[in-house]
């Protein structure tokens, strides 16, 4: 086997292990130059797409922390990532919680906004349910194999904002303005997190849950019981290209054990109860 063919097979294997795509699809991507051994999962090409995917990760991390998600970290069983967009497959037992976490909802009494600001249901097609960002662009779709969209039940005083033609609410604009002040590296890192669910699911698989939360304005923390160990998950994430430098930038950044860094943004991996110096 030639070195080029071997590298293609390795890239395809890493892509399959991170995304859940069939191996033949990943092999075609490798042959077409869409992925490589160093970047085995396609990045979102536009800044707007990366930002939208990053906000999805934050919403899921906040809403599903410590919940049982049937061996999935965010209720995601697989993805189909391309440069232009992202398809997401959901576990049927927790899909209703994922939908509730994504839907922007305003508590009229307190002004508290939950969910992904700007997210709107667009349309359903043969390729799945399309969701878009009403400000700045960006789109994802829930794959057809996933259960139908569940509209979260409205509590008294709660206002659902995610209908297709709903205008942006002031609370959403404020949240989006605040988000836009963050670094692009945060969006790239968190977008990559969303595009590698099978690697992250290893953290939630043994007991069906892991704790996730944001820290500062650029970081995401994932903590779980000791099995599998931090080093195992971190090694798989690095092999998947999570920390690969953005195109046109320098070499990979040096990181401490349990901390994956990209342009100043960090993914912190820790066991439950561990005191993290970076936190």
């Amino acid at each position: 086997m030639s070195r080029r063919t071997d590298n293609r097979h390795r890239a395809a294997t890493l892509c399959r292990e991170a995304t859940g795509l069939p191996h033949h699809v990943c092999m075609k991507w490798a042959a077409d130059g869409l992925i490589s051994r160093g970047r085995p999962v396609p990045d979102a090409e536009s800044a707007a797409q990366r930002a939208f995917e990053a906000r999805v990760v934050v919403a899921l991390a906040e809403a599903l922390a410590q919940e049982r998600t049937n061996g999935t970290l965010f209720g995601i069983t697989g993805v189909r990532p391309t440069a232009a967009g992202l398809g997401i497959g959901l576990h049927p037992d927790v899909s209703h919680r994922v939908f509730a976490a994504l839907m922007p909802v305003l508590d009229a009494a307190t002004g508290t906004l939950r969910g992904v600001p700007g997210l709107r249901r667009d349309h359903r097609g043969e390729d799945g349910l399309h969701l878009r960002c009403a400000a700045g662009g960006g789109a994802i779709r829930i794959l057809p194999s996933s259960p139908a969209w569940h509209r979260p039940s409205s509590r008294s005083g709660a206002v659902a904002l995610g209908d297709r033609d709903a205008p942006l609410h002031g609370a959403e604009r404020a949240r989006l303005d605040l988000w836009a002040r963050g670094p692009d590296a945060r969006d790239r890192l968190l977008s990559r997190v969303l595009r590698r669910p099978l690697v992250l699911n290893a953290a939630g698989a043994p007991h069906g849950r892991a704790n996730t939360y944001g820290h500062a304005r650029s970081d995401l923390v994932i903590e779980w019981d000791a099995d599998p160990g931090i080093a195992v998950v971190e090694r798989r994430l690095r092999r998947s290209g999570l920390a690969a430098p953005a195109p046109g930038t320098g070499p990979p950044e040096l990181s401490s054990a349990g901390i994956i860094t990209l342009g100043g943004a960090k993914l912190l991996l820790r066991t439950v109860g561990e005191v993290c110096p970076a936190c």
Side-chain angles (χ1 to χ4, degrees), residues 8-9 45 79 82 99-100 113 166 181 236 239 249 251 260:
R8 286 178 179 174
H9 275 281
E45 190 172 56
V79 293
T82 67
F99 291 140
L113 179 68
R181 300 173 194 170
R236 292 174 182 170
R239 283 205 307 258
T249 62
I260 299 179

Side-chain angles (χ1 to χ4, degrees), residues 167-264:
L168 277 177
H169 190 278
E172 291 182 291
R173 291 187 184 277
R175 183 76 65 82
L176 289 167
D177 288 345
L178 181 63
W179 183 275
R181 300 173 194 170
D184 181 67
R186 170 207 56 195
D187 296 343
R188 186 178 296 276
L189 179 66
L190 295 183
S191 170
R192 286 177 173 179
V193 166
L194 189 64
R195 288 168 174 246
R196 290 156 171 80
L198 268 63
V199 184
L200 290 168
N201 285 351
H207 306 291
R209 72 173 69 186
N211 191 30
T212 55
Y213 54 91
H215 174 259
R217 289 175 55 193
S218 301
D219 302 344
L220 179 68
V221 179
I222 302 174
E223 59 182 14
W224 66 96
D225 291 337
D227 184 22
I230 299 297
V232 174
V233 177
E234 180 180 352
R235 183 167 61 252
R236 292 174 182 170
L237 285 170
R238 291 189 183 280
R239 283 205 307 258
S240 76
L242 185 69
T249 62
E253 300 176 45
L254 297 177
S255 302
S256 304
I259 305 175
I260 299 179
T261 304
L262 182 68

Side-chain angles (χ1 to χ4, degrees), residues 10 38 57 63 77 105 140 153 184 195 202 216 226 247 264 267:
R10 184 57 179 157
V57 167
T77 57
V105 175
I140 61 175
S153 56
D184 181 67
R195 288 168 174 246
L267 177 64

Side-chain angles (χ1 to χ4, degrees), residues 41 60 84 159 163 211:
V41 180
L60 294 177
V159 180
D163 289 338
N211 191 30

